[in-house]
Amino acid sequence: MTRLYLVRHGETFDNAAQILQGQVPGELNPTGISQAETVREKMKDETIDAFVSSDLRRSIQTCEIIAEPHHKNVETTELLRERDWGSMTGKFIPSLPKDPKDWPSDVETIPHLKARARNFLTWIKVTFPDKTVLAVGHGIVNKAIQSVYFNKPMNEIPRMNNADVRVLDL
């Protein structure tokens, strides 16, 4: 069995400003750094065989902070990237249309996002059999991963706050 600690990155400057980040790199703000340090303290005595992160800066930063006491490198993957919000990227979230029917056509679809999530889970199981992996992703992609894992619609998966940790046994 492979154990996956699925983590959402710490708070970023854009999170605090309610800017939709999507696949831009992002950077942790002081709160986000503190959140990652809190996870590091909680996880420092766990046996973790591998650390994996989205290839976006905000997740890499979070993962590097958590991995520090384990003295392990962070491996990155595009499979863990946040949902591509297309032309809505960089916009003020409260000003965006709430109904997906009103979104532009360049937003990554849920079926595509869930296929990526399924590929991520398969990659983890194949690459790290019978290991413990800590992976840092993003709010929506992490929700898609859990949706696939639990075979539930995404709207039934509880929201992950910044630096939340969920455990999935694969």
Side-chain angles (χ1 to χ4, degrees):
M1 175 188 69
T2 299
R3 172 158 282 184
L4 175 63
Y5 290 105
L6 187 63
V7 182
R8 181 177 175 203
H9 63 80
E11 185 181 83
T12 66
F13 290 100
D14 283 348
N15 288 146
Q18 298 185 66
I19 302 298
L20 190 61
Q21 294 171 100
Q23 296 189 355
V24 299
E27 178 146 354
L28 298 183
N29 65 16
T31 299
I33 291 168
S34 176
Q35 289 168 334
E37 290 170 343
T38 298
V39 175
R40 177 182 66 201
E41 285 306 303
K42 284 184 198 168
M43 303 302 291
K44 70 179 181 193
D45 295 324
E46 295 292 327
T47 300
I48 300 173
D49 300 300
F51 290 86
V52 176
S53 171
S54 153
D55 64 341
L56 300 175
R57 183 70 194 132
R58 59 193 186 266
S59 289
I60 296 169
Q61 266 185 293
T62 301
C63 200
E64 286 174 343
I65 290 168
I66 298 167
E68 186 183 328
H70 299 269
H71 309 290
K72 296 198 184 214
N73 292 328
V74 173
E75 185 171 344
T76 62
T77 176
E78 290 183 10
L79 293 172
L80 265 178
R81 273 189 178 190
E82 183 56 298
R83 185 178 191 179
D84 184 350
W85 290 102
S87 55
M88 294 197 319
T89 301
K91 305 277 195 260
F92 184 57
I93 293 169
S95 72
L96 295 171
K98 303 291 180 249
D99 190 335
K101 289 186 295 238
D102 299 327
W103 292 354
S105 62
D106 61 354
V107 173
E108 183 177 15
T109 66
I110 294 296
H112 186 270
L113 181 66
K114 287 176 82 169
R116 207 157 38 89
R118 193 171 290 104
N119 289 344
F120 170 75
L121 288 171
T122 300
W123 178 73
I124 289 291
K125 285 191 282 192
V126 169
T127 308
F128 306 103
D130 300 316
K131 302 284 186 193
T132 299
V133 180
L134 185 139
V136 180
H138 307 267
I140 305 298
V141 73
N142 285 5
K143 187 178 266 225
I145 289 165
Q146 293 170 85
S147 171
V148 168
Y149 176 82
F150 291 112
N151 195 26
K152 290 184 171 186
M154 285 182 58
N155 63 1
E156 291 182 19
I157 304 298
R159 178 182 190 274
M160 288 182 80
N161 293 317
N162 291 109
D164 274 356
V165 180
R166 304 264 165 87
V167 182
L168 307 177
D169 289 323
L170 311 177

